[in-house]
Amino acid sequence: MTDTTAAWINRHAHPLDLFPGLLPLRDIVRDATVVALGASTRQAHELSVSAHRMVRFLVEELGFRSLALEGDDPARVGLDDYVRTGKGDPRVSLAGARAFWRTGEILDLVRWMRAYNEDHPHDPVRFAGVRPPAEPAAGMKAIERRMAEDTIWWHERTGDKIVYWGGLAHTSIGTGLLRLGPPSSAQVSQGSGSPSSPEAAAYRNVGGHLRERFGTGYLSIGLTFGHGTLPFEVPAPPPDFAETVLSAADLDDFLLDLRVEAPAAVRAWLDAPARTRLIGPRYDPADDAAYHLSGGSFGGWFDAVVHHERVTPVRDL
């Protein structure tokens, strides 16, 4: 089955370092209203660069005009002001943002947005707004719903097509039982799990809510990798991870539409229960298999995937 799937990937994958590169995104995105770029880790330079390239393509070629940057409020830290008016210093603004935004790759994106707006003052790109919360969200179920509702609210208010850049635990199309392993250190300290045990969460995530609202107008793209260096060494994935099959294609990096015609063996792999990498700031290479998303299928979570075989660390600011 792996050989059949690897051959299918080799036949349909689009290497990112060759022409036409991202041009197949035209057919993959089609008439989508919200395109989600969900990364398996925020700490990989290559995944961030690919996300930035896709943001640029979607803005310049397909008319997307808002970017929802998951995990903080661009207006709060001053980035929204900067891309609209040029006021302020984006490096200083990012110093007040969440840790996973404080990278050279995000700074490059923000500066590109400002440069684009200087060249297109009457048709700017902007950050999607976040509504002030009426009350603190209690638990992941409420947080996921709120992030989705913010995106829906922004689209209804502006009519913009939106790129949503976040983590794949949020952007994947999850409608049932998601398993995020291992649990956070806070959960462990409260006695609700061990560092190796998965956190089971029966809820609809952001991607599930947005697919429910927009139908096929919500497009989920997963950004995955095989191995490499983050702030720590990450080995080759376990045999039962989706990345092992993606790596068997023997391509350095590629874009793949998971909805293209496939033989029965490949479709069975796409529809089968899956595990895929999910690595946050805390990670133990000795327990690599514990850091994953499960509770769904690879073809159910994502419409397309961008895979990098080897990654290196982001540039910390």
Side-chain angles (χ1 to χ4, degrees):
M1 188 269 286
T2 299
D3 290 343
T4 301
T5 306
W8 174 79
I9 293 171
N10 277 314
R11 185 162 58 254
H12 293 286
H14 304 278
L16 294 178
D17 58 347
L18 299 176
F19 185 83
L22 291 178
L23 287 180
L25 268 181
R26 286 187 180 276
D27 290 332
I28 293 172
V29 171
R30 298 173 189 164
D31 298 323
T33 299
V34 179
V35 172
L37 311 176
S40 56
T41 180
R42 308 292 191 102
Q43 302 176 74
H45 168 76
E46 288 75 10
L47 302 193
S48 293
V49 168
S50 285
H52 182 176
R53 287 181 62 194
M54 286 189 282
V55 169
R56 291 187 62 163
F57 185 89
L58 292 167
V59 169
E60 295 174 341
E61 303 294 331
L62 298 179
F64 284 71
R65 287 297 178 268
S66 286
L67 171 63
L69 199 55
E70 181 186 87
D72 211 329
D73 181 356
R76 179 189 71 81
V77 298
L79 294 179
D80 186 57
D81 238 9
Y82 173 76
V83 300
R84 287 189 299 105
T85 69
K87 295 178 181 177
D89 182 337
R91 181 182 287 269
V92 172
S93 295
L94 285 171
R98 295 283 295 277
F100 49 77
W101 283 19
R102 299 197 297 263
T103 70
E105 290 77 8
I106 295 294
L107 179 61
D108 290 344
L109 171 72
V110 172
R111 285 176 169 163
W112 172 80
M113 291 174 70
R114 178 58 201 152
Y116 181 90
N117 288 346
E118 287 175 344
D119 291 338
H120 304 84
H122 303 298
D123 187 25
V125 61
R126 52 192 170 181
F127 284 110
V130 177
R131 297 169 302 165
E135 57 185 29
M140 283 305 300
K141 181 177 180 179
I143 291 171
E144 298 287 332
R145 177 178 291 278
R146 175 174 291 171
M147 290 193 294
E149 288 176 348
D150 281 343
T151 305
I152 294 167
W153 165 78
W154 184 255
H155 170 69
E156 290 176 344
R157 177 185 175 188
T158 66
D160 284 359
K161 294 196 289 185
I162 300 168
V163 188
Y164 186 110
W165 182 356
L168 64 74
H170 304 292
T171 64
S172 58
I173 302 167
T175 57
L177 182 69
L178 292 178
R179 293 185 181 273
L180 318 176
S184 69
S185 58
Q187 291 171 307
V188 173
S189 69
Q190 293 165 8
S192 57
S194 69
S196 300
S197 64
E199 171 196 352
Y203 59 81
R204 191 181 298 270
N205 69 351
V206 173
H209 285 296
L210 294 179
R211 173 57 61 90
E212 182 179 54
R213 167 62 177 80
F214 293 106
T216 56
Y218 175 73
L219 188 85
S220 168
I221 301 178
L223 290 95
T224 63
F225 74 97
H227 66 97
T229 306
L230 301 176
F232 29 73
E233 291 297 322
V234 180
D240 63 337
F241 275 38
E243 287 84 352
T244 297
V245 177
L246 297 174
S247 296
D250 199 27
L251 296 169
D252 289 335
D253 47 60
F254 58 87
L255 167 67
L256 175 66
D257 187 344
L258 299 178
R259 303 163 302 176
V260 298
E261 184 177 354
V266 176
R267 190 51 55 190
W269 171 70
L270 288 170
D271 294 341
R275 293 187 176 195
T276 192
R277 284 201 189 281
L278 183 62
I279 297 179
R282 298 178 184 85
Y283 171 76
D284 179 6
D287 198 18
D288 177 64
Y291 295 80
H292 66 267
L293 175 71
S294 60
S297 67
F298 200 67
W301 288 328
F302 309 116
D303 299 300
V305 64
V306 168
H307 182 74
H308 286 268
E309 184 53 25
R310 183 178 182 278
V311 294
T312 56
V314 291
R315 309 188 319 268
D316 286 331
L317 292 181

